[in-house]
Amino acid sequence: MNLQVIEYYESLLKFEVMEKQFTSTSQTLKETVEQYVGQDAVHKNDILTAYSNVMKELIG
């Protein structure tokens, strides 16, 4: 795992969450993650870890 990549994708996902609060985008966070994995398959595990971390923060 690459911690810098995980932190990068966590930041992107948090930005997506904040943006969704102010816009009416219909794409879910999971769909966004799938898009990121499609664009950066080399870091799939890091992206999924970042997604998991962000979801834990959101849920509490």
Side-chain angles (χ1 to χ4, degrees):
M1 278 198 238
N2 186 330
L3 292 178
Q4 290 177 321
V5 173
I6 292 171
E7 288 177 4
Y8 170 75
Y9 279 104
E10 283 179 358
S11 295
L12 284 178
L13 290 169
K14 288 176 184 179
F15 175 79
E16 290 290 333
V17 169
M18 302 252 317
E19 185 177 49
K20 286 178 192 328
Q21 291 179 0
F22 299 108
T23 63
S24 59
T25 57
S26 61
Q27 189 175 25
T28 66
L29 199 56
K30 188 169 184 170
E31 290 170 335
T32 301
V33 168
E34 291 170 358
Q35 180 182 350
Y36 290 164
V37 169
Q39 295 170 352
D40 190 6
V42 172
H43 293 112
K44 178 181 179 179
N45 289 334
D46 296 325
I47 295 168
L48 295 176
T49 299
Y51 173 67
S52 176
N53 292 345
V54 169
M55 291 304 293
K56 286 178 186 175
E57 283 186 46
L58 289 173
I59 294 171

